Amino acid sequence: MQIVRTLAETRAAVRALRAEKGSIGFVPTMGALHAGHRSLVQAARARCGAVAVSIFVNPTQFGPNEDFSRYPRTFAEDCEALREEEVDLLFAPEVATMYPADAVTVVRVEGLRDRLDGASRLGHFDGVATVVANLFQIVQPDAAFFGQKDAAQVAVLRRMVRDLHLPVEMAICPTVREADGLAMSSRNRYLSPEERRQALVLWRALQVAEALVKNGEQKAERLLEAMRSVFAALPDVRVDYLAVVDADTLLPVQDVRRGALLAAAAYVGTTRLIDNLLLPPEV
Ligand code: PAF
């Protein structure tokens, strides 16, 4: 695996890889890699000739009171995992490479930027869209691989790719879960054993709502009530949002006959966790 840090090195490495192996599949990450990231790398490997990964803890997607400075940084272990997955290229830039001191350009996906996580993490999706547009520009992948766990991020980035006519195929891969259902996340490592138990409430609430839909419930409000009552049993867990929305627009839907995204975000201790479940349209 070649590790590159500068734009010139990365562009040269990408040119060589494309000449040698054809298409390039790209997995952008912030490191602290887990099985969810590895599944994205494996999907990229199955679909493309070469696999490129980036590790960059992007400061612009963290709010002033969020966990940028303590976000887990595990570069040596990450490299080991990526070598095991036979990744061809790792791009690990410095902040000054991605954001020169005089850079002022921001990508804002209007409307979507303020919904779900964007409502409580102001400016978060501007940071995500800007860095991903930047990374696409540098790595020039044929396809990029993202996890369904970040459903609002997926909606924002799909829209950005569409609106800016970026020549990148967006591949969205299923959420990878621990054996008990907890969605894999780099932030799970912040949880104490007691919080780890409490964190299961997100998946439980989504499953309760899904079971209601399987039993014929179509009204979004009933699903929300059911999810709220699952959370009510754990008063220490502070709900950020519970939502039944259209997966593309992230706007609320009244009923789920045409399919919907069930989404939850909550603070377990000081750790903010998210999870979601896609309801297919009724056939
Ligand atoms: O999902 C993430 O890890 C980040 O938001 C991303 C896409 C790598 C952008 O920094």
Side-chain angles (χ1 to χ4, degrees):
M1 179 175 76
Q2 187 181 358
I3 302 178
V4 287
R5 295 192 180 271
T6 68
L7 302 189
E9 274 180 302
T10 311
R11 291 207 166 108
V14 164
R15 254 196 315 277
L17 268 183
R18 197 183 300 286
E20 190 195 344
K21 300 199 171 184
S23 59
I24 296 183
F26 178 43
V27 182
T29 81
M30 298 206 298
L33 303 180
H34 50 67
H37 296 110
R38 287 174 86 124
S39 78
L40 301 179
V41 170
Q42 287 155 13
R45 160 80 46 237
R47 197 108 136 231
C48 301
V51 180
V53 172
S54 61
I55 294 182
F56 179 62
V57 185
N58 173 34
T60 66
Q61 69 188 77
F62 290 81
N65 299 317
E66 294 185 351
D67 56 344
F68 174 67
S69 56
R70 73 177 186 119
Y71 196 82
R73 286 157 172 90
T74 57
F75 192 73
E77 290 98 306
D78 292 349
C79 286
E80 212 173 296
L82 295 176
R83 283 198 186 95
E84 276 171 25
E85 296 296 339
E86 298 181 6
V87 163
D88 299 278
L89 183 69
L90 170 60
F91 176 45
E94 299 295 333
V95 172
T97 303
M98 294 304 289
Y99 298 108
D102 54 353
V104 291
T105 304
V106 174
V107 179
R108 283 168 64 121
V109 182
E110 292 293 352
L112 287 171
R113 70 186 283 278
D114 299 322
R115 294 178 193 150
L116 297 193
D117 309 281
S120 46
R121 302 185 68 190
L122 298 179
H124 168 68
F125 286 131
D126 296 349
V128 171
T130 303
V131 80
V132 171
N134 220 325
L135 289 166
F136 281 2
Q137 195 55 27
I138 297 162
V139 176
Q140 309 230 320
D142 298 275
F145 296 77
F146 294 89
Q148 173 59 32
K149 199 205 105 203
D150 297 302
Q153 169 169 285
V154 165
V156 167
L157 294 177
R158 273 188 162 146
R159 189 60 181 256
M160 174 188 83
V161 164
R162 197 196 78 176
D163 289 357
L164 298 181
H165 311 289
L166 301 181
V168 180
E169 183 197 333
M170 294 288 284
I172 311 307
C173 304
T175 301
V176 177
R177 298 181 181 280
E178 303 280 0
D180 61 4
L182 182 68
M184 298 246 179
S185 163
S186 303
R187 290 187 169 97
N188 288 350
R189 63 185 82 197
Y190 296 151
L191 302 170
S192 69
E194 174 55 20
E195 289 167 351
R196 172 66 184 74
R197 273 189 290 280
Q198 294 176 343
L200 275 179
V201 66
L202 283 91
W203 179 228
R204 252 199 326 271
L206 293 167
Q207 282 186 302
V208 163
E210 184 188 39
L212 286 177
V213 175
K214 286 188 173 151
N215 281 331
E217 184 57 68
Q218 295 169 340
K219 290 201 166 42
E221 193 45 48
R222 295 263 161 72
L223 304 182
L224 288 168
E225 274 165 25
M227 290 200 280
R228 276 183 215 117
S229 61
V230 175
F231 274 91
L234 283 180
D236 287 349
V237 175
R238 180 162 64 84
V239 172
D240 181 7
Y241 65 71
L242 298 174
V244 184
V245 296
D246 177 276
D248 295 322
T249 64
L250 305 180
L251 287 170
V253 296
Q254 303 309 312
D255 74 62
V256 300
R257 268 172 292 186
R258 291 189 179 165
L261 175 75
L262 298 178
Y267 290 89
V268 181
T270 56
T271 305
R272 185 175 180 282
L273 298 177
I274 59 175
D275 201 354
N276 70 82
L277 197 152
L278 271 174
L279 296 173
E282 250 180 29
V283 279

